[in-house]
Amino acid sequence: MSVTPTHRTFADRHMGVTADSDRDQMLGALGFDSLDALVDAAVPADIRMDAPLALPGARSEEEILGDLRGLANQNTVMTQMIGQGFYDTHTPPVIRRNVLESPAWYTAYTPYQPEISQGRLEALLNFQTMVSDLTGLDVANASMLDESSAAAEAVLLMRRASKAAATAKAVIDQNLFPQTINVILGRAEALDFTVEVADLSQGLPEGDIFGIVLQQPGGDGAVVDHAAIIAEAKERGAMTTIIADLLALTLITSPGEQGADVAVGNTQRFGVPLFYGGPHAAYLSIRAGLERALPGRLVGVSRDAEGRQACRLALQTREQHIRREKATSNICTAQALLAITASMYVLYHGADGLKGIAERTHAHARTIAAGLTAAGIRVASASFFDTVTAIVPDRADAVIAAAADRGINLRRIDAGAVGISADETTTAAHVARVLEAFAAAGFDVAAPEAAALGDYAFDAALARTSDYLTQPIFWEHRSETQMLRYLRRLADRDLALDRTMIPLGSCTMKLNSTAEMESISWPEFAGIHPYAPADQTAGWRALIEDLERRLVEITGYAGVSVQPNSGAQGEYAGLNAIRAYHVARGESQRTICLIPASAHGTNAASAVLAGMRVVVVKNLETGTIDMDDLKAKIEKHAHELAAIMITYPSTYGVYDTDVREVCARVHDAGGQVYIDGANMNALVGVAQPGKFGGDVSHLNLHKTFAIPHGGGGPGVGPIGVAEHLLPYLPSDPRAVAGVAGSATPVVATLFGSAGVLPISYAYIAMMGGDGLTDATRHALLGANYIAAQLRDHFPVLFTGAGGLVAHECILDLRELTKVSGVTAEDVAKRLIDFGFHAPTLAFPVAGTLMVEPTESEALDEIERFIEAMIAIRAEIQEIIDGRFEVVDSPLRNAPHTAEGVIAGEWDRAYSREQAAYPVARLRTDKYFPPVARIDGAFGDRNLVCACPAPEAFED
């Protein structure tokens, strides 16, 4: 056991290998006497930085928390009644503490290995069931990125599923939120199809239509009976999407009952803080028959090898890293952590609790409307749920200022109209202050008793009479004790970073320190509305500007936008910037995007969604780009070449030495270079993509910059761009929609998922330039040490200069599979028995495992992984030597549950001890998976993606 020196800086605590003896042991195994020598050998000299990162000196944990407190204090916390898709809410403390602030939940990875993800999969199944029930549709997915981008995805879904002519258009109601309209228009402009904004209360416009989009309640708060327009759309062969407020749907007839095909919206008001705009889990639900067109992830129920019910991600071939340019979307990162929070909020309150919250919210809105009317102020619509629009000719600014003086933010619609949105947190005192701001004081503001069914402020025909949330899960956990134990029980089923190394290549599962996480739930950050006035958000804007400056220095670009709220959205935004740049220069014919076979998996899907055509460039057997093929493709498509997308270091885990030549050749042909920043963990402080040929890169803050993955989201994918692309960074989504060749928004808020940006801000500030560079060096050290220790047991597929890799390595099992029958999946499942999450399976090369230890893992944990892999190799050898057949092996039968090991007769060819305790150290710390290997094909053949109905529990 090595002795670790006293920790003095945050960087010391962030790095796993801190003892000189451990570092020397690892370097010695690689033949180097220093980390600098290792970096000099691994990283091409012609891309190396000339000087250290010019960042402020590293801050201590205490100092950064003081800095963040100072920034937070510059924000003004108001009563937020702006609405427009964002509402204040109470997060039950038991959920805040045990989900949002619990590393068991926020450090988990996307549940691609379902046997060790049953807790978060069950929570997401609850989310899907909640959405499906409230929207009255058959199937809901496991969350989307935000409401506006979900609405855009719904339009694309209708376009794919429609039988209308290819030239048909989408029609969206003018009473959608402005930010939603602008995001949809931007997506359509990229894909070159027509979207018409119309007043659908007057019927459908002329022409072929593949789909329409409505909102309930509307952008002005009006609750409208959409039955007639939906029926007309069906008669014309068009599909219908309704953007629906889930809280309102506890009182209002559901979209499914009104005949909609698709429903989308946000779940933010179900216990998720405002977070200055995100992260928030959006939803998308569909009628039966559209499952194969559904974007995003879908949790389904299947069974395991021992007959248990088990959850998994269903229909996984839709995932874009597999389907690439044939993917239905580029939604790689969902919002799993926030979806789980929303689902637990619903479990905590139940159907009756949600309805009570909705009725109280509605009652306050009715009081506001009545008070305004009594004062002679006209209300735009007498039919509403939570939002009232007051008509105040030429008085809007004065009213809003008067409300702000009373601590309340209202929505300015125009100079003569003001929106007021009630929510769960609204009180009679708030209502009184609102009426005072309108000079309508003196009205009795005591909230009335909940109105009887049919006595709401909307047509009785729209009042919901159908049941929802009747499944036992929604009424079994109503006390805090029950909820606490349920959350613990689910968390115990999973393997997250708080238990074990997650050695996923390309996904950088590193330390998410508590000091980085602590500030995000402070009210001064979490309680700010994204559309609050600028003078109330000075702290947020200062933090974001400082973070952007630091990212500019790290990447070498001219500017950064943090709007994209996932890596895939960052890719889309970056390609949009390239496309707009070409259009603005009169070269709209440039639509070809070259993508090497070694590129990151989401690249092709993003290129297609940005309106580009994908042309694949070959890779050589060494893993490097085939320069002859690149030259041929450039020559063939020179006039149409828009861009090349390269991942650097490549997804094969190596630094290509000819990256500058690749960039130069594309530039000479008039194209742009997109450098995917997914592997920035191997570049920070060592090389800057903006300086060695890149025109644009996205960064994964949820990878390199320490935002936790949260079980599949939140993520942030900001883009850095060169000077000439600055005008094409994502625009303010509330601004007037632009024209072709201009910037477009990608999500509903200017700063995307701002709520988690303090994490990366704190990480960069506490590490400082030297610490960030040291993290890169240690990432290279860990990956190369694993490669060296395992090379004699599993071939390392690709290497660069001197046989070295970058921050990850690919272990090649294909020859072993040929001689033993053991697959890479078998190894992934067997690693569960050793207490490990599997490396990345079958990507980027089928039959392989891609391993990334990150800089945060100690030598002891790295050695534990090496020991497990060597033990597994010995078990493979037992099959090769004929000790037992592969079907009878511990590998094919992995993972082993506790019940499977101890129950009944043991008739397998290996011992119970080998099944459960293949190495000695497991006897003191053993994780047993809750289920055995899951039958994925059964789950797809028998698709169940919601909780069982109460009838399933009858005898």
Side-chain angles (χ1 to χ4, degrees):
M1 177 69 68
S2 59
V3 178
T4 303
T6 301
H7 289 157
R8 292 179 298 276
T9 68
F10 173 78
D12 289 327
R13 286 183 286 278
H14 178 78
M15 240 68 73
V17 178
T18 56
D20 290 342
S21 58
D22 289 351
R23 190 179 301 107
D24 290 346
Q25 175 186 329
M26 297 171 74
L27 286 167
L30 299 172
F32 296 98
D33 58 8
S34 70
L35 282 172
D36 286 337
L38 170 62
V39 173
D40 288 343
V43 184
D46 67 342
I47 69 166
R48 294 287 300 278
M49 293 171 58
D50 296 328
L53 288 170
L55 293 173
R59 306 289 280 169
S60 70
E61 295 183 24
E62 295 76 17
E63 287 172 329
I64 197 61
L65 288 171
D67 295 343
L68 287 165
R69 179 57 69 186
L71 290 166
N73 289 340
Q74 294 178 42
N75 296 325
T76 304
V77 181
M78 303 278 277
T79 297
Q80 308 291 359
M81 301 183 76
I82 298 171
Q84 208 169 347
F86 302 93
Y87 309 91
D88 220 340
T89 179
H90 294 304
T91 307
V94 65
I95 297 174
R96 185 186 69 243
R97 175 68 62 89
N98 296 288
V99 178
L100 280 176
E101 297 176 352
S102 169
W105 290 97
Y106 68 67
T107 69
Y109 183 61
T110 306
Y112 294 132
Q113 291 290 328
E115 294 84 1
I116 54 174
S117 310
Q118 289 300 295
R120 75 200 86 133
L121 284 166
E122 179 174 323
L124 292 171
L125 188 73
N126 295 342
F127 174 86
Q128 292 178 176
T129 306
M130 172 264 290
V131 170
S132 180
D133 267 22
L134 290 175
T135 61
L137 289 162
D138 301 286
V139 177
N141 70 10
S143 78
M144 303 288 280
L145 292 170
D146 87 316
E147 181 171 292
S148 63
S149 58
E153 291 286 348
V155 171
L156 300 187
L157 185 157
M158 293 191 296
R159 187 169 178 244
R160 289 191 299 272
S162 171
K163 296 179 181 178
T167 55
K169 62 186 175 184
V171 179
I172 61 177
D173 189 29
Q174 65 183 19
N175 201 19
L176 272 56
F177 290 134
Q179 69 271 19
T180 304
I181 292 175
N182 286 339
V183 170
I184 292 174
L185 291 176
R187 193 70 66 95
E189 195 265 321
L191 291 174
D192 195 25
F193 67 89
T194 301
V195 173
E196 180 176 342
V197 181
D199 181 0
L200 290 180
S201 67
Q202 304 302 308
L204 290 179
E206 296 298 318
D208 289 337
I209 300 171
F210 67 77
I212 67 171
V213 183
L214 305 161
Q215 185 170 311
Q216 184 77 294
D220 62 1
V223 174
V224 176
D225 187 346
H226 292 305
I229 193 68
I230 293 173
E232 184 182 354
K234 286 191 174 183
E235 290 176 7
R236 298 265 298 270
M239 299 172 67
T240 299
T241 291
I242 294 182
I243 304 171
D245 183 314
L246 290 184
L247 187 64
L249 294 183
T250 64
L251 306 183
I252 298 172
T253 303
S254 69
E257 291 172 298
Q258 291 194 40
D261 302 286
V262 184
V264 297
N266 206 339
T267 64
Q268 177 267 316
R269 68 189 313 168
F270 284 178
V272 180
L274 286 163
F275 281 143
Y276 198 38
H280 302 141
Y283 73 84
L284 192 153
S285 57
I286 54 172
R287 62 167 170 79
L290 296 174
E291 293 87 354
R292 293 283 175 179
L294 184 68
R297 301 186 182 114
L298 181 67
V299 176
V301 179
S302 188
R303 65 186 182 191
D304 76 354
E306 297 170 3
R308 298 179 192 85
Q309 179 176 292
C311 296
R312 62 181 282 275
L313 291 180
L315 308 179
Q316 284 191 353
T317 54
R318 292 180 298 102
E319 284 295 329
Q320 62 274 46
H321 66 278
I322 298 171
R323 290 177 58 84
R324 300 197 175 218
E325 69 271 17
K326 296 181 177 63
T328 57
S329 77
N330 72 336
I331 300 296
C332 184
T333 303
Q335 299 284 18
L337 184 67
L338 297 313
I340 290 166
T341 299
S343 75
M344 294 306 170
Y345 175 94
V346 173
L347 264 64
Y348 189 75
H349 288 289
D352 56 339
L354 286 186
K355 187 174 182 181
I357 293 168
E359 288 180 331
R360 289 193 298 275
T361 300
H362 183 54
H364 285 307
R366 291 181 68 178
T367 302
I368 292 169
L372 292 171
T373 302
I377 297 171
R378 184 166 67 87
V379 173
S381 174
S383 177
F384 56 84
F385 165 61
D386 64 347
T387 297
V388 176
T389 297
I391 306 304
V392 285
D394 299 320
R395 289 182 55 213
D397 292 330
V399 167
I400 288 170
D405 289 341
R406 291 163 173 80
I408 295 175
N409 282 334
L410 303 178
R411 176 189 174 193
R412 185 188 191 279
I413 297 174
D414 56 38
V418 175
I420 313 107
S421 294
D423 57 45
E424 178 186 9
T425 69
T426 303
T427 66
H430 296 143
V431 172
R433 294 203 293 271
V434 167
L435 293 177
E436 287 174 7
F438 282 91
F443 189 79
D444 182 6
V445 298
E449 294 295 324
L453 180 64
D455 189 28
Y456 302 130
F458 46 81
D459 192 328
L462 289 175
R464 182 164 192 159
T465 59
S466 58
D467 291 332
Y468 47 86
L469 306 180
T470 58
Q471 297 85 348
I473 195 69
F474 295 108
W475 44 260
E476 288 178 335
H477 307 291
R478 303 298 292 280
S479 76
E480 179 161 336
T481 303
Q482 290 167 308
M483 175 59 69
L484 181 67
R485 290 172 182 164
Y486 181 60
L487 292 172
R488 175 61 184 267
R489 187 160 66 249
L490 293 189
D492 282 349
R493 295 175 184 172
D494 288 6
L495 269 183
L497 201 63
D498 64 330
R499 289 199 200 210
T500 181
M501 176 168 73
I502 302 181
L504 280 153
S506 194
C507 285
T508 311
M509 299 293 294
K510 64 165 67 175
L511 170 69
N512 314 122
S513 80
T514 306
E516 294 158 9
M517 301 293 295
E518 188 168 339
S519 68
I520 66 171
S521 56
W522 292 350
E524 297 86 355
F525 283 137
I528 307 298
H529 195 288
Y531 304 149
D535 62 355
Q536 297 176 17
T537 62
W540 262 123
R541 291 172 182 269
L543 184 152
I544 292 168
E545 289 170 7
D546 194 353
L547 175 61
E548 289 177 345
R549 282 195 297 270
R550 294 173 192 246
L551 293 175
V552 163
E553 170 61 20
I554 288 167
T555 60
Y557 285 110
V560 165
S561 167
V562 299
Q563 186 179 125
N565 56 1
S566 80
Q569 288 280 40
E571 294 173 12
Y572 170 68
L575 292 167
N576 256 351
I578 289 173
R579 181 182 52 81
Y581 168 75
H582 288 310
V583 170
R585 297 175 69 244
E587 295 191 312
S588 58
Q589 85 284 353
R590 291 191 176 272
T591 59
I592 294 291
C593 184
L594 302 179
I595 300 183
S598 60
H600 201 246
T602 57
N603 289 173
S606 297
V608 170
L609 288 173
M612 297 184 183
R613 291 180 292 151
V614 173
V615 173
V616 177
V617 177
K618 296 177 184 177
N619 282 82
L620 300 174
E621 290 186 3
T622 59
T624 58
I625 293 174
D626 184 332
M627 293 301 292
D628 290 337
D629 191 51
L630 176 67
K631 294 173 189 175
K633 298 286 172 59
I634 289 175
E635 183 177 349
K636 179 179 179 180
H637 301 290
H639 183 64
E640 301 170 294
L641 180 60
I644 188 170
M645 295 186 80
I646 60 175
T647 303
Y648 200 84
S650 77
T651 306
Y652 291 161
V654 295
Y655 295 97
D656 291 344
T657 57
D658 52 9
V659 64
R660 281 189 176 274
E661 181 184 355
V662 171
C663 296
R665 288 186 178 278
V666 172
H667 284 146
D668 289 346
Q672 297 286 284
V673 175
Y674 184 108
I675 297 180
D676 186 313
N679 292 340
M680 195 71 192
N681 210 41
L683 291 179
V684 178
V686 174
Q688 297 164 300
K691 295 292 178 63
F692 63 72
D695 297 294
V696 57
S697 292
H698 87 272
L699 306 172
N700 289 352
L701 298 193
H702 50 286
K703 294 183 180 181
T704 302
F705 298 98
I707 292 176
H709 288 61
V716 181
I719 57 170
V721 297
E723 188 81 29
H724 61 283
L725 293 180
L726 286 174
Y728 311 107
L729 286 172
S731 59
D732 189 331
R734 292 183 300 155
V736 177
V739 296
S742 66
T744 57
V746 294
V747 294
T749 57
L750 181 59
F751 302 115
S753 289
V756 290
L757 294 180
I759 301 170
S760 293
Y761 176 84
Y763 169 72
I764 294 171
M766 289 191 293
M767 292 292 281
D770 290 344
L772 291 171
T773 305
D774 209 28
T776 301
R777 300 191 306 168
H778 278 84
L780 269 62
L781 176 64
N784 278 286
Y785 183 73
I786 286 177
Q789 296 300 101
L790 291 180
R791 184 172 281 116
D792 291 340
H793 305 277
F794 301 93
V796 175
L797 185 55
F798 300 114
T799 58
L804 297 171
V805 297
H807 63 307
E808 60 194 10
C809 61
I810 297 176
L811 304 179
D812 190 356
L813 279 80
R814 291 175 296 179
E815 288 302 315
L816 282 173
T817 299
K818 288 180 183 177
V819 298
S820 70
V822 173
T823 66
E825 182 179 16
D826 291 330
V827 175
K829 302 306 182 188
R830 183 58 170 152
L831 276 168
I832 296 171
D833 290 326
F834 291 80
F836 280 107
H837 194 294
T840 303
L841 173 64
F843 177 82
V845 179
T848 67
L849 294 171
M850 183 162 58
V851 181
E852 180 180 355
T854 83
E855 72 273 15
S856 292
E857 296 300 340
L859 178 57
D860 284 348
E861 185 72 353
I862 291 173
E863 292 284 18
R864 191 170 75 87
F865 175 75
I866 291 168
E867 177 188 40
M869 290 299 294
I870 292 174
I872 288 171
R873 177 62 180 85
E875 291 181 340
I876 296 173
Q877 191 62 44
E878 289 182 309
I879 297 168
I880 295 171
D881 294 343
R883 180 183 167 192
F884 35 62
E885 297 295 322
V886 65
V887 294
D888 299 320
S889 70
L891 287 137
R892 184 58 51 84
N893 288 292
H896 297 83
T897 64
E899 181 183 6
V901 171
I902 67 174
E905 295 294 322
W906 185 261
D907 58 359
R908 296 183 178 174
Y910 52 95
S911 68
R912 297 179 197 260
E913 182 177 25
Q914 185 175 356
Y917 300 105
V919 294
R921 72 171 76 202
L922 290 170
R923 292 188 176 280
T924 59
D925 187 13
K926 172 66 180 175
Y927 166 82
F928 280 103
V931 297
R933 193 176 305 199
I934 295 173
D935 186 342
F938 177 86
D940 283 350
R941 290 194 306 270
N942 304 276
L943 187 62
V944 175
C945 45
C947 301
E951 292 75 18
F953 294 85
E954 294 178 351
D955 291 336

